């Protein structure tokens, strides 16, 4: 799914500041071992590497990592790129000082398995930091809008925006972390001038939206319904200065 469209362009053109916001929350220092889980094209991993940290960017989709390598080269960032499943990572226990994810690990189907891996690879006293879309925010509402038109999820899969619920994330980590903080923030999106421009951009660039439209491609009336539903959603959020998309920033320390 994530190899469809052009997520590298979306990360660069629509949400470039999110990765830097997550890195700032991590308070990275040169030489720290950092893992970016479900890193995509390196929206957080690249700015992390530019701090002087020793960074590994991991993702299940090789196409995204390849695109990220090109971006890193342009920005002069040096880091390692590894194909890895967030639910079963090939890294040692307690290998990293900081483990982070920017709207990435939230898309792993089994939330508990992914959370267990985040904790496992973090050293005692190390930081776990996550930036995830909230259920009630714009992207969470977009996924709810697309859900009736989407293919059935894998057995046991949980909705990605639940990672934007502080209580859900805290329950996933349980008593294995301390100093748990969760802050709701928004990012201003001024890339789209009309609701239809937003919809058509996501239809062309965003893997999850592309997958939903492919699922209903043989039903023109349903395509038209979803077209209008996504435009209506954007219309309800779009003002003269753009849209505000809510996310949850979580930081915690492994015990």
């Amino acid at each position: 799914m994530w190899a469809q469209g052009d997520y590298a362009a979306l990360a660069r053109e629509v949400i470039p500041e999110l990765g830097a916001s997550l890195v700032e929350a991590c308070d990275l220092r040169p030489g720290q071992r950092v893992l970016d889980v479900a890193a995509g094209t390196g929206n957080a991993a690249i700015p992390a590497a530019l701090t002087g940290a020793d960074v590994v960017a991991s993702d299940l989709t090789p196409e995204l990592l390849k695109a990220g390598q090109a971006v890193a080269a342009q920005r002069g960032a040096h880091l390692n790129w590894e194909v890895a499943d967030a639910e079963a990572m090939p890294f040692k226990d307690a290998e990293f000082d900081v483990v982070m994810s920017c709207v990435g690990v939230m898309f792993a189907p089994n939330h508990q398995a992914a959370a267990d891996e985040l904790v496992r690879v973090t050293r005692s006293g190390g930081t776990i930091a996550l930036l995830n879309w909230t259920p009630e925010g714009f992207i969470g509402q977009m996924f709810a809008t697309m859900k009736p038109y989407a293919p059935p999820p894998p057995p046991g899969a949980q909705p990605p925006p639940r990672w934007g619920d502080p209580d859900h994330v805290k329950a996933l980590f349980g008593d294995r972390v301390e100093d748990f903080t969760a802050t709701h923030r928004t990012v201003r999106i001024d890339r789209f001038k009309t609701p239809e421009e937003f919809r058509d951009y996501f239809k062309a660039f965003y893997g999850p939206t592309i997958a939903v439209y492919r699922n209903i491609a043989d039903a023109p009336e349903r395509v038209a319904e979803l077209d209008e539903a996504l435009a209506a959603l954007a219309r309800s959020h779009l003002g003269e200065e753009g849209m505000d998309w809510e996310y949850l920033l979580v930081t915690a320390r492994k015990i």
Side-chain angles (χ1 to χ4, degrees), residues 106 110 172 243:
M106 65 181 292
N110 187 321
L172 291 173
M243 295 185 277

Side-chain angles (χ1 to χ4, degrees), residues 83-160:
V83 176
D85 184 345
E87 297 180 7
M89 293 191 284
F91 307 114
K92 298 177 182 178
D93 294 356
E95 186 172 345
F96 297 95
D97 301 303
V98 177
V99 176
M100 62 181 185
S101 185
C102 183
V103 294
V105 74
M106 65 181 292
F107 292 101
N110 187 321
H111 293 190
Q112 191 62 65
D116 291 348
E117 283 292 88
L118 294 176
V119 174
R120 180 184 67 79
V121 300
T122 307
R123 68 165 175 82
S124 179
T127 297
I128 300 172
L130 308 172
L131 191 157
N132 298 314
W133 302 120
T134 64
E136 61 273 15
F138 179 80
I139 296 297
Q141 293 181 42
M142 184 187 76
F143 274 94
T145 299
M146 296 192 301
K147 184 177 178 180
Y149 305 90
Q158 295 172 282

